[in-house]
Amino acid sequence: MILKKNKGFYIRLIRATFARRSLLRFLQNEALYNIHIEGEILDLGGSPKSQYYSYIQISENSEITYADLYNKSENFLEMDFNENFPIKNNSFDNVLVMNVIEHLESYENCIFEIARILKKNGNLFGVVPFIFPIHMVPDDFHRPTESMIKKVLLDAGFHDIEVKPLGFGRWTAAANLCGQQIKFKPLTLIFYLIAILLDKFDSNTKKYTKEKFSYPIGYFFHAK
């Protein structure tokens, strides 16, 4: 199912464009809009300043643990996501993995480890790019498809799985690749709006291949 445009979508698009956020980052945040989580939360690769915390609703009684191999701050758990996690089984209610697995040489192991440390009925929320430039943090290994994401999640023991493509069609995908190169942000915004409009009028036969969305900028996934 193509990403739903929430109320205020275009106002937030204007703000995100002038804040120099990529179209992928904007649509990622839209996919997280009004998601409510509570309890023990593990954020793999994120920080308190991550943009998505302006969109996710988190209960006041929740506790967030941040984990990263490169952030040496005192309140971060230092760990390599390619290796087995130094965390006990059934420790967290929710795990966030936003724009991380493309940078992992062995992201399948990361998903299996997340399944291990989640409590029963715990939630995994993640985002991964697809039609997006190579970006080295410190390296870039993967662009998994919807089918691959579902397979890895199923193999790890998840059953209730949602994978949502981010984007609206081929024009939006092209705009995502080119828009960030335009220095004059009002022109970038016009470019984005025209692309979204063109995708609106594209027929569904041009948007899907065997019921799979053909031009995802990235994917949002939720599993439990």
Side-chain angles (χ1 to χ4, degrees):
M1 186 176 82
I2 294 179
L3 181 70
K4 179 183 177 182
K5 298 185 183 75
N6 300 299
K7 185 177 180 180
F9 175 90
Y10 290 103
I11 298 298
R12 290 189 295 277
L13 175 60
I14 292 169
R15 291 172 179 167
T17 303
F18 282 90
R20 299 185 177 277
R21 294 175 189 165
S22 68
L23 194 53
L24 171 61
R25 188 58 58 97
F26 168 70
L27 294 178
Q28 161 194 308
N29 291 336
E30 286 296 300
L32 297 167
Y33 192 76
N34 283 338
I35 285 178
H36 181 271
I37 58 177
E38 59 183 347
E40 295 288 337
I41 302 164
L42 176 64
D43 188 345
L44 300 178
S47 79
K49 296 181 180 179
S50 295
Q51 296 170 7
Y52 44 82
Y53 283 115
S54 298
Y55 289 75
I56 301 174
Q57 296 184 15
I58 299 177
S59 296
E60 290 183 3
N61 60 344
S62 299
E63 292 188 14
I64 305 175
T65 300
Y66 301 98
D68 201 304
L69 181 60
Y70 306 103
N71 193 320
K72 307 299 183 182
S73 301
E74 206 171 281
N75 58 339
F76 274 70
L77 179 62
E78 184 179 344
M79 52 187 277
D80 185 343
F81 306 154
N82 288 294
E83 306 293 337
N84 293 337
F85 295 179
I87 299 173
K88 294 179 180 179
N89 294 355
N90 309 311
S91 295
F92 288 93
D93 300 290
N94 303 276
V95 175
L96 307 179
V97 56
M98 305 295 178
N99 299 300
V100 169
I101 66 175
E102 70 271 22
H103 301 296
L104 304 179
E105 187 173 357
S106 179
Y107 77 87
E108 293 93 340
N109 178 74
C110 179
I111 298 299
F112 274 74
E113 282 295 281
I114 290 171
R116 179 182 65 78
I117 67 171
L118 274 173
K119 297 177 183 178
K120 184 178 180 181
N121 295 321
N123 294 281
L124 165 61
F125 297 96
V127 171
V128 63
F130 188 74
I131 301 177
F132 197 76
I134 297 296
H135 50 295
M136 315 295 280
V137 191
D139 212 331
D140 194 336
F141 292 99
H142 305 285
R143 292 293 184 273
T145 63
E146 177 180 348
S147 298
M148 187 62 184
I149 294 168
K150 286 183 177 178
K151 180 183 186 305
V152 172
L153 291 170
L154 284 169
D155 288 347
F158 292 99
H159 300 288
D160 189 357
I161 297 170
E162 173 192 20
V163 180
K164 184 179 296 184
L166 303 178
F168 303 105
R170 54 183 175 165
W171 300 102
T172 313
N176 178 63
L177 290 174
C178 301
Q180 286 293 296
Q181 303 306 313
I182 301 173
K183 303 296 184 181
F184 186 55
K185 288 307 159 184
L187 184 58
T188 303
L189 178 63
I190 293 170
F191 191 33
Y192 289 164
L193 292 173
I194 291 174
I196 292 171
L197 180 64
L198 288 171
D199 279 330
K200 181 178 180 180
F201 290 103
D202 247 352
S203 69
N204 279 345
T205 58
K206 295 179 180 179
K207 293 181 180 178
Y208 292 91
T209 301
K210 295 184 177 179
E211 300 184 356
K212 294 290 193 305
F213 191 63
S214 300
Y215 304 99
I217 298 172
Y219 294 101
F220 162 79
F221 55 92
H222 172 220
K224 56 193 304 185

